[in-house]
Amino acid sequence: MERDFLGFINDNHLFGPTDRVLLAVSGGLDSMVMTELVHRIGQPFAIAHVNFGLRGEESNADARFVQNKAEQYGVPFHLTQVDTKAVAEERGISIQMAARELRYAWFRQLLSENNYACVATAHHLNDVLETVLLNFTRGTGIAGLHGIAVNQNQVVRPLLFASRDQLVAYYEANKLTHREDSSNPEDKYARNRIRHHVVPVLTELNPALWQTFPRTVDRLRAAETLLRTELERSWQEISEPWGEQTLLRSDKLLSLSELPFRLSEWLKPFGFMVDQVEQMTNALTQSVGQQFLSPTHRIIHERNGLVLEPLRLAPDYEIRLTDWPSAAINVTGHFALAVQLIDKPDNIPTNPAVACLDADKLTFPITIRPWRQGDRFRPLGLNGHKLVSDLLNDLKLSRSERERTAVLLSGDSIAWVIGRRIDHRFRITPTTQRVCQLTLLNRL
């Protein structure tokens, strides 16, 4: 067993012979076998134990047992005690999830404070099979079907080469001792039900399960690697970054095979659900304007594709000026305006980012704010008034561009839809003496 153990560590580059490894030891059979194996190969190590406080005196006895073992091995011992139930209630999560989060957060702290190379847990092949079956019943991608990672974020699993029966055989041959969790025989948890009732049936159907299953897991991991490579390649092909936004071009999306699956994998990190992805796929062949929200992002169906952007609150600001400032007007997080009072220019700029207004027709206070539904102004060259919303629609602006549009008001009248169009009433005329030139420094 020691030879197989060391071979698995070396084959998977889990840690070097002089690295100090932190062992996560519960006191159960699996973790005691791992501790003995690490000791036998001469690896420098320390032991960490979490008392979750879930089984009263039994939990305290587990902690004392593990501490005594650390003293027998002559290695450093780390202990923490947490109120798992209270944390689970506070965070609104299951006790198992709270225990996992508390455990790994403490391990990360120990790694940082003590310069350990990694933390090793005692997961083995049976744990991998149970995890795969659990993930399968809950619905999962291909990553969920290869179970537990061998090496991930400084967490290593050096027993993943062995089945539970192999660990028991080693335990008995070396006359080791352990603490038995009284909840293990219970069927209260889904994992225990799979362990007690499903896995025995699978091993009966295939007596060579523990020889064939690792090969299946290896193939699934290889398939996932190929899949991730293809997903990254096609993402680069169909996406066009633009500031905080990313455009997923509809023409290129519709040319891809298995589009719902690709979209689901691409958008999973942004919090979008599978049913939303199905709606997005359907939206690509329908009229524009639909939007889809996740807790952190949104996707808008625009004319040229799906626009992905961080979820922001609607702009809410109002700047009131009683005089023209000497420096640029900064609307923090949105844009800035440079202000110049000049003589009437020979040529009026045609750039929509520059507005030349008759300074003597502007009255204070000058207000800068987001446009609102119902806002009206008189566009340059027109006799009648027009809704700002109609102007933005005529310009074929995307939803996010419309939302970021602001207006500059003279008193109660809109003088400029910033970056879009000035109001006819504030234009430069032959009688204009002074010009207020406003320049949008950051495009909306």
Side-chain angles (χ1 to χ4, degrees):
M1 176 72 89
E2 287 95 341
R3 181 181 299 174
D4 292 339
F5 181 66
L6 186 56
F8 186 79
I9 290 168
N10 292 336
D11 289 346
N12 290 279
H13 310 289
L14 301 188
F15 44 80
T18 61
D19 288 336
R20 297 171 67 240
V21 180
L22 180 66
L23 305 186
V25 179
S26 66
L29 185 148
D30 306 335
S31 64
M32 296 317 302
V33 168
M34 178 181 69
T35 304
E36 180 67 14
L37 286 169
V38 170
H39 170 68
R40 291 282 184 96
I41 67 173
Q43 188 74 36
F45 71 98
I47 288 176
H49 177 82
V50 183
N51 183 345
F52 293 108
L54 296 172
R55 292 175 288 115
E57 178 53 31
E58 186 179 341
S59 294
N60 297 333
D62 290 348
R64 290 193 297 270
F65 172 81
V66 176
Q67 183 172 8
N68 289 335
K69 286 298 180 182
E71 292 172 358
Q72 292 174 20
Y73 284 112
V75 299
F77 176 68
H78 303 279
L79 172 67
T80 189
Q81 183 163 352
V82 293
D83 190 342
T84 312
K85 288 183 178 178
V87 172
E89 291 175 2
E90 179 184 339
R91 300 182 184 176
I93 57 179
S94 68
I95 288 177
Q96 297 96 315
M97 182 63 71
R100 176 182 171 81
E101 291 181 0
L102 290 167
R103 183 185 193 212
Y104 283 101
W106 184 56
F107 290 159
R108 287 192 295 271
Q109 179 183 338
L110 289 178
L111 291 177
S112 175
E113 292 176 351
N114 298 276
N115 199 31
Y116 294 123
C118 56
V119 59
T121 68
H123 293 96
H124 48 77
L125 276 177
N126 293 59
D127 294 315
V128 177
L129 178 57
E130 292 163 10
T131 300
V132 166
L133 294 173
L134 274 173
N135 289 342
F136 185 79
T137 60
R138 293 167 178 167
T140 183
I142 192 170
L145 293 180
H146 64 59
I148 303 169
V150 177
N151 187 352
Q152 186 178 45
N153 300 326
Q154 287 187 280
V155 178
V156 300
R157 282 94 181 191
L159 295 183
L160 285 189
F161 71 97
S163 68
R164 169 75 175 184
D165 287 345
Q166 289 175 292
L167 299 184
V168 171
Y170 182 85
Y171 171 88
E172 292 175 346
N174 289 277
K175 298 180 172 58
L176 303 180
T177 57
H178 77 290
R179 291 276 301 175
E180 187 66 34
D181 187 334
S182 61
S183 67
N184 282 343
E186 299 176 358
D187 281 348
K188 178 180 178 180
Y189 301 113
R191 182 177 290 274
N192 281 8
R193 293 199 294 275
I194 288 175
R195 180 178 302 160
H196 299 151
H197 305 292
V198 178
V199 174
V201 174
L202 295 178
T203 53
E204 182 181 340
L205 291 171
N206 179 14
L209 178 66
W210 301 116
Q211 287 74 51
T212 60
F213 178 62
R215 293 197 293 270
T216 300
V217 169
D218 287 342
R219 291 191 182 102
L220 287 169
R221 288 199 178 105
E224 187 195 11
T225 299
L226 292 174
L227 173 64
R228 294 297 161 198
T229 300
E230 167 58 18
L231 287 172
E232 176 62 24
R233 184 204 64 78
S234 53
W235 171 262
Q236 296 299 329
E237 180 179 290
I238 61 94
S239 63
E240 297 179 7
W242 184 40
E244 289 187 312
Q245 296 178 309
T246 301
L247 170 65
L248 312 182
R249 289 188 49 180
S250 55
D251 57 341
K252 293 186 176 180
L253 285 171
L254 292 170
S255 70
L256 293 174
S257 62
E258 305 296 343
L259 179 56
F261 174 78
R262 292 177 191 260
L263 272 176
S264 177
E265 291 298 306
W266 288 331
L267 300 178
K268 191 183 300 180
F270 302 104
F272 291 97
M273 308 301 288
V274 173
D275 58 341
Q276 291 177 295
V277 170
E278 293 174 355
Q279 294 168 17
M280 291 176 206
T281 306
N282 294 332
L284 287 170
T285 57
Q286 299 173 4
S287 59
V288 301
Q290 295 183 60
Q291 66 172 326
F292 308 90
L293 302 178
S294 80
T296 59
H297 287 72
R298 74 171 174 175
I299 282 183
I300 307 168
H301 180 211
E302 301 288 4
R303 288 176 176 81
N304 49 356
L306 302 176
V307 176
L308 170 68
E309 65 179 6
L311 193 60
R312 293 183 291 265
L313 296 174
D316 184 18
Y317 56 84
E318 184 169 295
I319 296 176
R320 293 174 67 86
L321 305 173
T322 56
D323 198 359
W324 294 115
S326 57
I329 304 168
N330 286 301
V331 183
T332 305
H334 300 280
F335 58 91
L337 293 177
V339 182
Q340 290 179 286
L341 293 176
I342 60 175
D343 295 332
K344 185 164 64 173
D346 295 330
N347 296 304
I348 299 173
T350 57
N351 184 346
V354 180
C356 288
L357 307 175
D358 190 321
D360 296 314
K361 292 179 182 175
L362 294 169
T363 58
F364 290 99
I366 299 293
T367 305
I368 300 170
R369 61 164 174 80
W371 77 278
R372 299 168 184 161
Q373 288 293 340
D375 278 345
R376 291 177 176 272
F377 79 122
R378 183 181 171 188
L380 181 66
L382 293 184
N383 291 325
H385 286 74
K386 188 183 187 79
L387 286 169
V388 171
S389 58
D390 289 342
L391 169 72
L392 303 183
N393 287 334
D394 292 345
L395 294 174
K396 301 188 186 310
L397 299 181
S398 67
R399 182 189 293 265
S400 58
E401 289 175 317
R402 293 196 298 270
E403 289 175 354
R404 293 197 300 271
T405 296
V407 291
L408 182 143
L409 293 88
S410 168
D412 294 326
S413 300
I414 292 177
W416 185 27
V417 179
I418 298 176
R420 311 300 179 198
R421 194 73 54 83
I422 70 168
D423 186 287
H424 187 82
R425 293 165 293 179
F426 299 91
R427 73 193 187 282
I428 296 174
T429 67
T431 62
T432 297
Q433 299 297 314
R434 294 184 310 141
V435 171
C436 177
Q437 181 171 292
L438 299 158
T439 304
L440 178 60
L441 299 179
N442 303 100
R443 169 62 65 178
L444 294 171

